[in-house]
Amino acid sequence: MKTKTILAAIALTLAPTFAFAMGCGADHNQQASSCKAGTSWDADTGSCKADAST
C-alpha cells in the first residue's frame, strides 16, 4: 500500500510539469487575435502589420 501511495504522489507531482511542457516551446506562433486594432497578422514576416485600408 505504501508503494502505491508513493507512486501516486510522484505522478500527481509530475503531472503539471509534463502538461506545461507539452504546451510550451520555441515554435509558438502569434495569433491574429493578439494584433492591435487596425492591424492584422502577416504570416510571411511573423508580425502584425497595419491594414492596407487604413
Side-chain angles (χ1 to χ4, degrees):
M1 182 69 171
K2 189 173 185 179
T3 304
K4 288 182 182 179
T5 304
I6 291 171
L7 291 175
I10 291 171
L12 291 172
T13 302
L14 295 178
T17 303
F18 291 127
F20 181 71
M22 293 287 292
C24 295
D27 62 342
H28 279 234
N29 295 325
Q30 185 175 1
Q31 299 294 317
S33 61
S34 63
C35 292
K36 294 181 181 179
T39 63
S40 59
W41 181 250
D42 184 359
D44 294 332
T45 62
S47 63
C48 294
K49 297 289 182 180
D51 290 336
S53 61
T54 57

XYZ file of all heavy atoms in Angstrom:
376
model
N 0.829 -1.202 0.000
C 0.000 0.000 0.000
C 0.864 1.252 0.000
O 0.550 2.218 -0.677
C -0.941 -0.030 1.216
C -1.872 1.116 1.302
S -3.083 0.999 -0.023
C -4.197 2.254 0.450
N 1.946 1.227 0.755
C 2.812 2.388 0.835
C 3.442 2.699 -0.524
O 3.574 3.860 -0.906
C 3.897 2.142 1.887
C 4.711 3.355 2.211
C 5.649 3.076 3.376
C 6.378 4.330 3.782
N 7.262 4.110 4.910
N 3.792 1.666 -1.276
C 4.388 1.855 -2.598
C 3.400 2.527 -3.549
O 3.766 3.439 -4.290
C 4.832 0.501 -3.181
O 5.731 -0.127 -2.263
C 5.519 0.677 -4.511
N 2.151 2.094 -3.526
C 1.131 2.697 -4.384
C 0.919 4.166 -4.042
O 0.751 5.004 -4.923
C -0.185 1.938 -4.259
C -0.176 0.581 -4.899
C -1.528 -0.075 -4.763
C -1.525 -1.456 -5.366
N -2.830 -2.123 -5.218
N 0.944 4.490 -2.771
C 0.765 5.873 -2.329
C 1.925 6.742 -2.792
O 1.720 7.859 -3.279
C 0.645 5.936 -0.787
O -0.415 5.086 -0.380
C 0.389 7.346 -0.321
N 3.127 6.227 -2.678
C 4.308 6.984 -3.113
C 4.271 7.197 -4.628
O 4.529 8.304 -5.112
C 5.600 6.268 -2.681
C 5.739 6.342 -1.156
C 6.821 6.872 -3.358
C 6.860 5.492 -0.595
N 3.946 6.162 -5.376
C 3.862 6.297 -6.830
C 2.770 7.272 -7.249
O 2.942 8.059 -8.185
C 3.642 4.932 -7.474
C 4.830 3.968 -7.405
C 4.429 2.614 -7.983
C 6.025 4.541 -8.130
N 1.646 7.244 -6.568
C 0.566 8.180 -6.867
C 0.994 9.614 -6.562
O 0.707 10.537 -7.330
C -0.677 7.822 -6.075
N 1.699 9.810 -5.465
C 2.170 11.145 -5.100
C 3.169 11.661 -6.130
O 3.124 12.836 -6.520
C 2.794 11.122 -3.703
N 4.058 10.798 -6.591
C 5.029 11.199 -7.618
C 4.321 11.556 -8.919
O 4.625 12.571 -9.553
C 6.069 10.080 -7.837
C 6.973 9.959 -6.606
C 6.908 10.347 -9.076
C 7.889 8.764 -6.628
N 3.343 10.747 -9.318
C 2.605 11.013 -10.546
C 1.856 12.339 -10.471
O 1.855 13.123 -11.420
C 1.639 9.868 -10.829
N 1.226 12.604 -9.342
C 0.489 13.859 -9.182
C 1.420 15.058 -9.109
O 1.059 16.163 -9.512
C -0.400 13.788 -7.936
C -1.583 12.832 -8.038
C -2.280 12.707 -6.683
C -2.552 13.291 -9.102
N 2.616 14.858 -8.605
C 3.592 15.940 -8.530
C 4.132 16.283 -9.910
O 4.324 17.451 -10.245
C 4.761 15.550 -7.597
O 4.232 15.255 -6.306
C 5.768 16.660 -7.491
N 4.366 15.279 -10.730
C 4.964 15.500 -12.047
C 3.946 15.823 -13.140
O 4.326 16.364 -14.174
C 5.776 14.271 -12.450
C 6.993 13.969 -11.587
C 7.669 12.698 -12.066
C 7.967 15.127 -11.577
N 2.690 15.526 -12.942
C 1.678 15.738 -13.974
C 1.611 17.185 -14.473
O 1.608 17.419 -15.687
C 0.313 15.267 -13.488
N 1.592 18.191 -13.606
C 1.556 19.570 -14.109
C 2.815 19.937 -14.890
O 2.758 20.699 -15.848
C 1.440 20.423 -12.846
C 0.913 19.507 -11.808
C 1.418 18.147 -12.169
N 3.940 19.378 -14.501
C 5.188 19.661 -15.204
C 5.109 19.174 -16.641
O 5.488 19.888 -17.574
C 6.370 18.973 -14.488
O 6.397 19.421 -13.135
C 7.678 19.284 -15.161
N 4.618 17.949 -16.832
C 4.510 17.412 -18.184
C 3.445 18.149 -18.992
O 3.625 18.390 -20.180
C 4.215 15.919 -18.140
C 5.375 15.101 -17.617
C 5.192 14.212 -16.577
C 6.637 15.242 -18.151
C 6.249 13.462 -16.096
C 7.707 14.504 -17.674
C 7.519 13.607 -16.647
N 2.370 18.523 -18.375
C 1.320 19.262 -19.080
C 1.829 20.622 -19.517
O 1.554 21.074 -20.628
C 0.093 19.415 -18.183
N 2.592 21.275 -18.670
C 3.154 22.576 -19.015
C 4.156 22.440 -20.148
O 4.187 23.245 -21.071
C 3.817 23.190 -17.777
C 4.403 24.551 -18.017
C 3.588 25.644 -18.208
C 5.768 24.732 -18.046
C 4.122 26.899 -18.432
C 6.312 25.977 -18.258
C 5.480 27.065 -18.461
N 4.965 21.416 -20.117
C 5.984 21.210 -21.134
C 5.371 20.914 -22.494
O 5.934 21.263 -23.527
C 6.914 20.077 -20.718
N 4.230 20.277 -22.516
C 3.590 19.950 -23.788
C 3.133 21.205 -24.532
O 3.135 21.238 -25.748
C 2.379 19.047 -23.554
C 2.700 17.670 -23.043
S 3.429 16.627 -24.280
C 2.068 16.425 -25.385
N 2.772 22.250 -23.810
C 2.241 23.436 -24.457
C 3.235 24.558 -24.630
O 2.910 25.576 -25.207
N 4.440 24.383 -24.179
C 5.422 25.461 -24.257
C 6.594 25.028 -25.114
O 7.204 24.008 -24.875
C 5.926 25.835 -22.874
S 4.637 26.533 -21.863
N 6.897 25.840 -26.094
C 8.025 25.557 -26.948
C 8.432 26.795 -27.703
O 7.757 27.823 -27.688
N 9.534 26.705 -28.389
C 10.058 27.850 -29.125
C 9.302 28.093 -30.425
O 9.448 29.139 -31.038
C 11.539 27.637 -29.414
N 8.493 27.133 -30.850
C 7.823 27.261 -32.137
C 6.398 27.804 -32.042
O 5.616 27.632 -32.952
C 7.816 25.914 -32.860
C 7.067 24.846 -32.092
O 6.853 25.016 -30.885
O 6.708 23.828 -32.716
N 6.075 28.477 -30.961
C 4.738 29.060 -30.839
C 4.608 30.231 -31.801
O 5.525 31.002 -31.995
C 4.491 29.558 -29.415
C 4.108 28.451 -28.498
N 2.980 28.472 -27.747
C 4.692 27.268 -28.226
C 2.884 27.369 -27.043
N 3.926 26.622 -27.324
N 3.449 30.348 -32.383
C 3.168 31.437 -33.311
C 2.209 32.421 -32.673
O 1.337 32.039 -31.916
C 2.539 30.896 -34.599
C 3.502 30.017 -35.357
O 4.697 30.274 -35.367
N 2.991 28.983 -35.985
N 2.377 33.679 -33.004
C 1.457 34.689 -32.512
C 0.128 34.520 -33.230
O 0.086 34.229 -34.420
C 2.020 36.087 -32.788
C 1.177 37.188 -32.209
C 1.825 38.546 -32.396
O 2.892 38.657 -32.965
N 1.159 39.570 -31.941
N -0.940 34.715 -32.509
C -2.268 34.567 -33.077
C -2.758 35.908 -33.604
O -2.391 36.956 -33.095
C -3.244 34.044 -32.026
C -2.858 32.680 -31.497
C -2.949 31.614 -32.567
O -3.903 31.583 -33.326
N -1.958 30.757 -32.628
N -3.625 35.854 -34.590
C -4.170 37.075 -35.182
C -4.944 37.889 -34.159
O -4.964 39.108 -34.224
C -5.068 36.729 -36.363
N -5.570 37.243 -33.216
C -6.371 37.962 -32.240
C -5.511 38.803 -31.297
O -6.025 39.634 -30.576
C -7.226 36.983 -31.431
O -6.389 36.087 -30.731
N -4.194 38.619 -31.304
C -3.352 39.395 -30.415
C -2.823 40.666 -31.077
O -2.101 41.424 -30.463
C -2.186 38.543 -29.907
O -1.370 38.140 -30.976
N -3.167 40.890 -32.334
C -2.770 42.136 -33.005
C -3.696 43.264 -32.561
O -4.874 43.053 -32.291
C -2.860 41.976 -34.522
S -1.652 40.834 -35.202
N -3.148 44.446 -32.500
C -3.935 45.612 -32.103
C -4.964 45.954 -33.170
O -4.853 45.532 -34.319
C -3.019 46.815 -31.887
C -2.083 46.652 -30.721
C -1.223 47.879 -30.541
C -0.274 47.685 -29.381
N 0.599 48.843 -29.197
N -5.938 46.763 -32.794
C -6.965 47.207 -33.730
C -6.305 47.983 -34.865
O -5.392 48.774 -34.646
C -7.982 48.083 -33.015
N -6.742 47.740 -36.082
C -6.178 48.407 -37.246
C -4.973 47.683 -37.820
O -4.350 48.170 -38.752
N -4.643 46.540 -37.253
C -3.540 45.730 -37.773
C -4.015 44.303 -37.977
O -5.034 43.894 -37.431
C -2.330 45.731 -36.819
O -2.704 45.140 -35.580
C -1.814 47.140 -36.565
N -3.270 43.574 -38.756
C -3.579 42.158 -38.968
C -2.277 41.376 -39.011
O -1.208 41.928 -39.244
C -4.376 41.971 -40.259
O -3.640 42.453 -41.359
N -2.387 40.077 -38.781
C -1.217 39.209 -38.714
C -0.675 38.928 -40.121
O -1.406 38.563 -41.021
C -1.575 37.896 -38.029
C -0.416 36.972 -37.912
C -0.238 35.812 -38.586
C 0.723 37.128 -37.079
N 0.943 35.239 -38.216
C 1.562 36.021 -37.296
C 1.123 38.102 -36.161
C 2.770 35.859 -36.638
C 2.328 37.933 -35.494
C 3.133 36.837 -35.736
N 0.623 39.147 -40.307
C 1.306 38.841 -41.551
C 2.172 37.611 -41.318
O 3.205 37.689 -40.650
C 2.153 40.035 -41.992
C 2.818 39.811 -43.340
O 2.642 38.731 -43.934
O 3.523 40.723 -43.804
N 1.741 36.467 -41.849
C 2.448 35.208 -41.613
C 3.826 35.208 -42.258
O 4.743 34.549 -41.769
C 1.616 34.044 -42.135
N 4.003 35.953 -43.339
C 5.306 35.981 -44.022
C 6.381 36.619 -43.155
O 7.514 36.134 -43.097
C 5.200 36.731 -45.346
C 4.309 35.993 -46.347
O 4.215 34.756 -46.258
O 3.719 36.669 -47.206
N 6.034 37.702 -42.484
C 7.018 38.397 -41.648
C 6.944 37.969 -40.197
O 7.857 38.236 -39.430
C 6.825 39.922 -41.721
O 5.528 40.243 -41.227
C 6.993 40.442 -43.132
N 5.828 37.314 -39.823
C 5.673 36.868 -38.446
C 5.402 38.008 -37.482
O 5.822 37.979 -36.335
N 4.685 39.028 -37.949
C 4.376 40.172 -37.083
C 3.065 40.817 -37.530
O 2.521 40.490 -38.572
C 5.507 41.203 -37.149
O 5.632 41.715 -38.458
N 2.583 41.737 -36.706
C 1.376 42.479 -37.043
C 1.738 43.638 -37.979
O 2.733 44.312 -37.765
C 0.717 43.031 -35.774
S 0.083 41.754 -34.687
N 0.926 43.811 -38.984
C 1.136 44.892 -39.951
C -0.120 45.743 -40.032
O -1.228 45.240 -39.852
C 1.437 44.333 -41.354
C 2.716 43.530 -41.422
C 3.919 44.438 -41.302
C 5.182 43.614 -41.432
N 6.364 44.404 -41.330
N 0.047 47.024 -40.324
C -1.092 47.922 -40.459
C -1.950 47.462 -41.625
O -1.427 47.027 -42.662
C -0.617 49.345 -40.690
N -3.274 47.537 -41.452
C -4.191 47.161 -42.513
C -4.010 48.109 -43.716
O -3.772 49.305 -43.535
C -5.645 47.208 -42.047
C -5.949 46.082 -41.058
O -5.253 45.066 -41.088
O -6.901 46.252 -40.270
N -4.137 47.586 -44.900
C -3.954 48.386 -46.116
C -5.019 49.466 -46.271
O -4.766 50.511 -46.848
C -3.981 47.480 -47.355
N -6.220 49.236 -45.698
C -7.315 50.189 -45.871
C -7.201 51.379 -44.912
O -7.934 52.338 -45.059
C -8.650 49.497 -45.642
O -8.712 48.983 -44.324
N -6.276 51.339 -43.966
C -6.180 52.444 -43.002
C -5.016 53.347 -43.307
O -4.047 53.004 -43.905
C -6.028 51.933 -41.562
O -4.879 51.076 -41.478
C -7.253 51.211 -41.114
